[in-house]
């Protein structure tokens, strides 16, 4: 009612020209009285405060928040203003102004305190395939954000993240760490959870010495010394970047050697043999491998192989048939030129892995083995089988070849794939040759390599094309894979004939080999 009367009074002053201004004395209006403010703090750690000024004789309020905000908020009587504060004590100043400009102000203290977040639930999980890394996620009520301390460096700066985010951290070393996850309120209050994380990265078979996180520390004896070095003899026999080097110093004991301890006992229940690639400057020497119990040196089994070729990589097989599987074996011990004292020579070894001793499916693929299972996976209405060579002439008189049938109406991308037992070594030889029999010239033959379990499309897949130049005769096509990344470990070979066409036809292929 007061507001209405004042408004009518003001209007009459402006419109009634016959009224004598001396009849109204604005100075008679007194200063605002009983100035205060109702300040309501949101209970969600948002820092939002609703300020409702109150007073008598006020036409407008100015609210100064008392924080870093310089300009006031102007509020009409009966209205409110909402402002976001940080945690702390603030001196909020409310100024009430009358119609004639008289002002009254008061200062009220506002204390904003954030409550501790509740129901914090944090998870620290290992990363599949990466023993040195963990992921962290968290949820909580009343939190503004989270922080995580991984516990592996002094004066650690925490990583901040929000609910719904996943943080990944990789440790530089094995060990036991305390991971601390905090839910922050936005102020000083926080909730905290701690997790004990054990980072263990044991050496396991197969051992290829390529990992940057595994600790390939050898235990040496008899004046032998082994360590991991860059492969000095990268070639078709071994394209690995890293290998182990053993130096048997001058006068070293006849039994000098080195060993690695693997993280779990070797499972000899099925595969009784261990393969190892070796490079030696001498031929005719005995290379001994011994598997031994982790704590009892009297529990062991040995196998000897005599090296037949020097100065080239050879894959040796050590036969542990008859080993007592009731015992456990975790030490792999290697001796070079066993039985003879050291003469200062160095030997190299790599790719220690278990084997059944059976023939492995790999390149070259010539389809002549009676022990291997040449199983193709077909797609897009193609069908591939191994058959007797129906065109045994010219450059291919093999008895067995691959047959590729593309039925009428097959997909343009119809093909077949075969999975090799191990990755192809592209370290030196980057080209693939394949003998092909085609019923027509100008047919596109696509050769593709995929990593194990790779899907389509996948950026690691790589493919090359060649075109047939003769009809109804064998020819050798070359597929150039220069630039291929050897560390991708390609194992799946995929073939497409007459790629891009749906025409039915039969093709034959054989002798898929590496070359330069």
């Amino acid at each position: 009612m007061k507001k209405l009367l004042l408004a009518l009074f003001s209007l009459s002053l402006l419109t009634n020209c016959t009224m004598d201004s001396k009849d109204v004395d604005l100075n008679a209006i007194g200063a605002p009285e009983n100035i205060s403010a109702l300040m309501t703090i949101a209970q969600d750690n948002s820092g939002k405060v609703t300020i409702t000024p109150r007073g008598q004789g006020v036409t407008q309020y100015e609210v100064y928040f008392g924080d870093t905000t310089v300009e006031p908020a102007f509020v009409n009587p009966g209205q409110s203003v909402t402002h976001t504060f940080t945690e702390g004590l603030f001196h909020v100043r409310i100024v009430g102004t009358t119609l004639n400009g008289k002002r009254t102000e008061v200062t009220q203290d506002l204390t904003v305190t954030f409550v501790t977040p509740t129901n914090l639930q944090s998870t620290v999980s290992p990363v599949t395939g990466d023993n040195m890394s963990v992921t962290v996620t968290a949820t909580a009520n009343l939190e503004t954000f989270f922080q995580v301390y991984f516990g592996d460096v002094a004066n650690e700066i925490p990583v901040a993240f929000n609910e719904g985010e996943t943080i990944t951290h990789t440790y530089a070393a094995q060990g036991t760490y305390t991971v601390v996850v905090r839910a922050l309120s936005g102020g000083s209050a926080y909730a905290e959870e701690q997790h004990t994380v054990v980072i263990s990265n044991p050496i396991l078979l197969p051992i290829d010495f390529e990992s940057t996180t595994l600790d390939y520390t050898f235990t040496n004896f008899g004046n032998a010394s082994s360590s991991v070095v860059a492969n000095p003899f990268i070639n078709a026999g071994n394209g690995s970047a890293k290998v182990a080097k053993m130096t048997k110093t001058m006068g070293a004991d006849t039994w000098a050697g080195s060993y690695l301890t693997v993280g779990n006992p070797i499972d000899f229940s099925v595969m009784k043999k261990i393969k190892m690639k070796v490079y030696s400057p001498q031929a005719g020497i005995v290379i001994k491998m011994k598997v031994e119990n982790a704590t009892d040196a009297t529990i062991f089994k040995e196998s000897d192989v005599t090296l037949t070729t020097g100065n080239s990589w050879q894959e040796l097989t050590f036969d542990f048939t008859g080993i007592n599987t009731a015992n456990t074996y975790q030490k792999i011990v290697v001796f070079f030129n066993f039985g003879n004292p050291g003469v200062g020579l160095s030997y190299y070894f790599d790719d220690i892995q278990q084997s059944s001793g059976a023939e492995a499916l790999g390149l070259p693929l010539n389809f002549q083995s009676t022990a291997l299972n040449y199983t193709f996976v077909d797609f897009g209405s193609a069908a591939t089988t191994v058959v007797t060579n129906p065109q045994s002439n010219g450059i291919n008189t093999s008895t067995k070849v691959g047959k590729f049938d593309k039925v009428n109406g097959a997909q343009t991308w119809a093909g077949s794939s075969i999975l090799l037992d191990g990755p192809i070594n592209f370290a030196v030889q980057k080209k693939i040759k394949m003998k092909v029999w085609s019923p027509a010239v100008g047919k596109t033959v696509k050769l593709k390599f995929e990593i194990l379990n790779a899907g389509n499309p996948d950026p690691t897949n790589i493919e090359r094309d060649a075109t047939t130049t003769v009809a109804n005769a064998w020819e050798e096509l070359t597929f150039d894979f220069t630039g291929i990344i050897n560390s991708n470990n390609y194992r799946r070979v995929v073939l497409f004939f007459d790629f891009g066409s749906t025409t039915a036809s039969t093709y034959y292929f054989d002798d898929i080999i590496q070359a330069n």
Side-chain angles (χ1 to χ4, degrees), residues 3-147:
K3 292 167 61 178
L4 179 59
L5 291 173
L6 286 171
L8 292 172
F9 178 64
S10 300
L11 182 61
S12 68
L13 287 175
L14 296 171
T15 60
N16 192 346
C17 297
T18 61
M19 182 178 289
D20 191 340
S21 62
K22 292 183 180 179
D23 294 336
V24 179
D25 187 1
L26 293 178
N27 290 328
I29 300 175
E33 298 178 346
N34 300 322
I35 301 298
S36 64
L38 174 64
M39 294 186 284
T40 306
I41 303 173
Q43 297 303 300
D44 59 359
N45 282 348
S46 65
K48 291 182 179 179
V49 178
T50 301
I51 302 174
T52 306
R54 298 183 294 193
Q56 298 171 348
V58 180
T59 56
Q60 191 176 58
Y61 295 96
E62 297 172 36
V63 179
Y64 294 84
F65 300 108
D67 58 5
T68 57
T69 305
V70 176
E71 296 298 323
F74 295 93
V75 184
N76 293 325
Q79 302 298 310
S80 302
V81 62
T82 299
H83 186 73
T84 300
F85 292 85
T86 58
E87 188 176 52
L89 173 62
F90 304 92
H91 305 295
V92 180
R93 186 160 58 98
I94 303 99
V95 179
T97 305
T98 63
L99 186 64
N100 60 4
K102 292 182 179 180
R103 298 161 62 88
T104 300
E105 68 176 61
V106 296
T107 299
Q108 286 184 214
D109 287 344
L110 169 66
T111 300
V112 178
T113 303
F114 292 168
V115 298
T116 302
T118 61
N119 195 30
L120 170 59
Q121 298 182 26
S122 58
T123 302
V124 180
S125 305
V127 175
T128 302
D130 183 358
N131 293 332
M132 301 300 290
S133 298
V134 297
T135 60
V136 176
T137 60
T139 62
N141 297 330
L142 301 177
E143 103 290 343
T144 56
F145 66 99
F146 298 93
Q147 290 179 334

Side-chain angles (χ1 to χ4, degrees), residues 148-356:
V148 55
Y149 297 80
F150 292 99
D152 54 346
V153 296
N155 301 317
E156 182 178 3
I157 299 174
V159 178
F161 64 101
N162 295 317
E163 188 165 312
E165 287 188 83
T166 299
I167 301 300
T168 301
H169 181 74
T170 300
Y171 288 91
Q174 301 181 58
T176 300
Y177 303 94
T178 299
V179 177
V180 178
V181 181
R182 289 180 178 175
L184 282 298
S185 64
S188 60
Y190 61 85
E192 178 179 290
E193 281 189 346
Q194 296 187 1
H195 303 262
T196 299
V197 174
V198 178
I199 297 298
S200 177
N201 199 25
I203 299 173
L204 300 173
L205 290 176
I207 302 172
D208 60 10
F209 304 110
E210 300 298 325
S211 173
T212 58
T213 59
L214 287 174
D215 182 9
Y216 299 112
T217 300
F218 286 88
T219 299
N220 305 305
F221 52 87
N223 290 317
S225 177
S226 293
S227 61
V228 176
V229 299
N231 185 356
F233 307 109
I234 294 179
N235 54 40
N238 186 7
S240 297
K242 298 289 186 179
V243 297
K245 172 185 177 182
M246 178 187 289
T247 300
K248 196 169 179 180
T249 59
M250 183 66 68
D253 294 312
T254 58
W255 42 265
S258 305
Y259 70 82
L260 285 172
T261 301
V262 295
N264 294 324
I266 303 169
D267 182 5
F268 283 107
S269 61
V270 177
M271 292 190 286
K272 311 287 188 183
K273 299 178 181 181
I274 295 181
K275 290 183 176 181
M276 181 172 71
K277 291 178 182 175
V278 168
Y279 189 102
S280 166
Q282 301 169 289
I285 65 172
V286 172
I287 300 174
K288 181 188 291 290
M289 181 181 287
K290 174 179 169 183
V291 292
E292 185 180 303
N293 183 267
T295 58
D296 186 348
T298 65
I299 300 175
F300 65 89
K301 180 74 173 175
E302 297 177 339
S303 178
D304 291 351
V305 176
T306 300
L307 194 64
T308 59
T309 304
N311 297 308
S312 67
W313 283 104
Q314 285 183 267
E315 186 173 67
L316 307 181
T317 300
F318 299 86
D319 192 348
F320 292 95
T321 300
I323 193 169
N324 185 353
T325 55
N327 296 323
T328 60
Y329 308 87
Q330 286 183 253
K331 291 181 180 179
I332 300 176
V333 194
V334 179
F335 310 80
F336 281 88
N337 198 12
F338 185 81
N340 294 301
V343 292
L345 293 178
S346 294
Y347 309 87
Y348 300 87
F349 55 105
D350 195 15
D351 295 335
I352 306 171
Q353 58 184 320
Q354 281 188 276
S355 169
S356 64

Side-chain angles (χ1 to χ4, degrees), residues 359-362 364-374 376 386-390 392 395-402 418 435 474 509-513:
E359 188 177 354
L361 181 63
L365 275 175
N366 57 22
F367 308 112
Q368 301 303 307
S369 173
T370 58
L372 292 174
N373 184 10
Y374 299 106
F376 284 88
V386 175
V387 299
T388 300
N389 187 354
S392 182
I395 64 171
N396 189 12
T397 57
S398 297
T399 58
K400 297 289 185 180
V401 296
I418 188 168
K435 293 175 182 175
W474 286 101
F509 60 98
D510 196 14
D511 295 334
I512 304 175
I513 65 173

Side-chain angles (χ1 to χ4, degrees), residues 363 365 377 379 416-424 426 447-456 461-462 488-495:
L363 296 185
L365 275 175
V377 176
F379 52 89
S416 302
S417 69
I418 188 168
L419 182 65
L420 307 181
D421 288 334
I424 303 169
F426 282 107
L447 177 61
K448 178 180 180 182
F449 292 110
E450 297 178 355
I451 63 172
L452 185 61
N453 296 326
N456 286 304
N461 295 340
I462 187 169
N488 283 341
N489 294 323
Y490 293 99
R491 286 185 57 186
R492 184 176 283 111
V493 182
V494 191
L495 291 169

